[in-house]
Amino acid sequence: MVSQCANPDCRRKLHYLRDGKIYQFVLSLKTGSKRLENFWLCGECSKTMILICVDQPEVRTVGKGGHRATPN
């Protein structure tokens, strides 16, 4: 369950889904199985960032202007 912002520099607590953006990714585990995971960016972070899945199972924040990705 999502409980905080996916931005490692923020980690704001999730109180309302209307504040921010939810992302869903199908992540592959080392065992070969897959699972659906949800991530949330708070309202402030979602103004300047998006989440991308770069390498299973890694999800990163990326600036909307194409800035360098940071690991979560």
Side-chain angles (χ1 to χ4, degrees), residues 2 6 8 12 15 17 22 33 37 39 51 53 55 69:
V2 178
R12 182 177 171 191
H15 294 287
L17 288 176
I22 295 285
S33 63
E37 281 205 41
F39 298 87
L51 288 178
C53 186
D55 188 22

mmCIF file of all heavy atoms in Angstrom, residues 2 6 8 12 15 17 22 33 37 39 51 53 55 69:
data_model
loop_
_atom_site.group_PDB
_atom_site.id
_atom_site.type_symbol
_atom_site.label_atom_id
_atom_site.label_comp_id
_atom_site.label_asym_id
_atom_site.label_seq_id
_atom_site.Cartn_x
_atom_site.Cartn_y
_atom_site.Cartn_z
ATOM 1 N N VAL A 2 0.486 2.224 -0.766
ATOM 2 C CA VAL A 2 1.207 3.483 -0.862
ATOM 3 C C VAL A 2 0.944 4.301 0.392
ATOM 4 O O VAL A 2 -0.198 4.476 0.796
ATOM 5 C CB VAL A 2 0.728 4.282 -2.102
ATOM 6 C CG1 VAL A 2 1.432 5.608 -2.182
ATOM 7 C CG2 VAL A 2 0.947 3.485 -3.367
ATOM 8 N N ALA A 6 6.821 9.062 -3.506
ATOM 9 C CA ALA A 6 7.894 8.224 -4.051
ATOM 10 C C ALA A 6 9.196 8.991 -4.261
ATOM 11 O O ALA A 6 10.237 8.380 -4.497
ATOM 12 C CB ALA A 6 7.448 7.604 -5.375
ATOM 13 N N PRO A 8 12.423 10.357 -3.127
ATOM 14 C CA PRO A 8 13.235 10.091 -1.935
ATOM 15 C C PRO A 8 13.624 11.351 -1.171
ATOM 16 O O PRO A 8 13.947 11.274 0.017
ATOM 17 C CB PRO A 8 14.468 9.372 -2.475
ATOM 18 C CG PRO A 8 14.500 9.659 -3.927
ATOM 19 C CD PRO A 8 13.097 9.963 -4.361
ATOM 20 N N ARG A 12 6.610 12.846 1.689
ATOM 21 C CA ARG A 12 5.399 13.379 2.308
ATOM 22 C C ARG A 12 4.378 12.253 2.494
ATOM 23 O O ARG A 12 4.227 11.394 1.649
ATOM 24 C CB ARG A 12 4.824 14.471 1.411
ATOM 25 C CG ARG A 12 3.604 15.123 1.947
ATOM 26 C CD ARG A 12 3.175 16.235 1.018
ATOM 27 N NE ARG A 12 1.885 16.722 1.422
ATOM 28 C CZ ARG A 12 1.154 17.533 0.714
ATOM 29 N NH1 ARG A 12 1.595 17.956 -0.456
ATOM 30 N NH2 ARG A 12 -0.008 17.931 1.139
ATOM 31 N N HIS A 15 -2.331 11.456 2.431
ATOM 32 C CA HIS A 15 -3.572 11.615 3.176
ATOM 33 C C HIS A 15 -4.777 11.564 2.242
ATOM 34 O O HIS A 15 -5.805 11.008 2.598
ATOM 35 C CB HIS A 15 -3.573 12.926 3.964
ATOM 36 C CG HIS A 15 -2.556 12.957 5.057
ATOM 37 N ND1 HIS A 15 -2.689 12.244 6.230
ATOM 38 C CD2 HIS A 15 -1.378 13.607 5.154
ATOM 39 C CE1 HIS A 15 -1.640 12.453 6.997
ATOM 40 N NE2 HIS A 15 -0.827 13.279 6.369
ATOM 41 N N LEU A 17 -5.937 11.053 -2.031
ATOM 42 C CA LEU A 17 -5.529 10.701 -3.392
ATOM 43 C C LEU A 17 -5.682 11.867 -4.355
ATOM 44 O O LEU A 17 -5.043 11.910 -5.393
ATOM 45 C CB LEU A 17 -6.342 9.502 -3.895
ATOM 46 C CG LEU A 17 -5.995 8.172 -3.252
ATOM 47 C CD1 LEU A 17 -6.938 7.094 -3.759
ATOM 48 C CD2 LEU A 17 -4.558 7.787 -3.522
ATOM 49 N N ILE A 22 -0.999 9.111 -8.918
ATOM 50 C CA ILE A 22 -0.718 7.695 -8.666
ATOM 51 C C ILE A 22 -0.151 7.073 -9.946
ATOM 52 O O ILE A 22 -0.642 7.337 -11.035
ATOM 53 C CB ILE A 22 -2.006 6.942 -8.261
ATOM 54 C CG1 ILE A 22 -2.537 7.458 -6.934
ATOM 55 C CG2 ILE A 22 -1.778 5.442 -8.223
ATOM 56 C CD1 ILE A 22 -1.757 7.006 -5.728
ATOM 57 N N SER A 33 8.688 -13.894 -11.103
ATOM 58 C CA SER A 33 7.285 -13.520 -10.990
ATOM 59 C C SER A 33 7.138 -12.014 -11.180
ATOM 60 O O SER A 33 8.103 -11.262 -11.113
ATOM 61 C CB SER A 33 6.721 -13.954 -9.636
ATOM 62 O OG SER A 33 7.402 -13.288 -8.600
ATOM 63 N N GLU A 37 2.617 -2.801 -8.717
ATOM 64 C CA GLU A 37 2.916 -1.938 -7.579
ATOM 65 C C GLU A 37 2.440 -0.529 -7.874
ATOM 66 O O GLU A 37 2.521 -0.054 -9.003
ATOM 67 C CB GLU A 37 4.419 -1.914 -7.289
ATOM 68 C CG GLU A 37 4.884 -3.124 -6.554
ATOM 69 C CD GLU A 37 6.154 -2.872 -5.759
ATOM 70 O OE1 GLU A 37 6.297 -1.803 -5.139
ATOM 71 O OE2 GLU A 37 7.006 -3.757 -5.791
ATOM 72 N N PHE A 39 2.668 3.604 -6.883
ATOM 73 C CA PHE A 39 3.544 4.652 -6.364
ATOM 74 C C PHE A 39 2.776 5.960 -6.425
ATOM 75 O O PHE A 39 1.909 6.137 -7.274
ATOM 76 C CB PHE A 39 4.823 4.768 -7.202
ATOM 77 C CG PHE A 39 5.657 3.521 -7.197
ATOM 78 C CD1 PHE A 39 5.420 2.511 -8.105
ATOM 79 C CD2 PHE A 39 6.675 3.367 -6.283
ATOM 80 C CE1 PHE A 39 6.178 1.358 -8.109
ATOM 81 C CE2 PHE A 39 7.445 2.213 -6.277
ATOM 82 C CZ PHE A 39 7.198 1.209 -7.185
ATOM 83 N N LEU A 51 7.308 9.649 -12.638
ATOM 84 C CA LEU A 51 7.972 8.387 -12.295
ATOM 85 C C LEU A 51 8.103 7.552 -13.549
ATOM 86 O O LEU A 51 7.201 7.517 -14.378
ATOM 87 C CB LEU A 51 7.165 7.598 -11.271
ATOM 88 C CG LEU A 51 7.141 8.126 -9.849
ATOM 89 C CD1 LEU A 51 6.254 7.241 -8.981
ATOM 90 C CD2 LEU A 51 8.530 8.197 -9.263
ATOM 91 N N CYS A 53 9.764 3.582 -14.976
ATOM 92 C CA CYS A 53 10.341 2.278 -14.645
ATOM 93 C C CYS A 53 11.484 2.069 -15.629
ATOM 94 O O CYS A 53 11.263 1.899 -16.822
ATOM 95 C CB CYS A 53 9.289 1.192 -14.775
ATOM 96 S SG CYS A 53 9.859 -0.397 -14.220
ATOM 97 N N ASP A 55 14.510 -0.069 -15.140
ATOM 98 C CA ASP A 55 15.086 -1.408 -15.203
ATOM 99 C C ASP A 55 14.410 -2.230 -14.121
ATOM 100 O O ASP A 55 14.532 -1.911 -12.944
ATOM 101 C CB ASP A 55 16.601 -1.343 -14.980
ATOM 102 C CG ASP A 55 17.287 -2.669 -15.227
ATOM 103 O OD1 ASP A 55 16.725 -3.507 -15.934
ATOM 104 O OD2 ASP A 55 18.389 -2.860 -14.690
ATOM 105 N N ALA A 69 17.600 11.202 -13.903
ATOM 106 C CA ALA A 69 16.784 10.352 -13.030
ATOM 107 C C ALA A 69 17.505 10.109 -11.714
ATOM 108 O O ALA A 69 18.727 10.051 -11.667
ATOM 109 C CB ALA A 69 16.484 9.036 -13.718
#
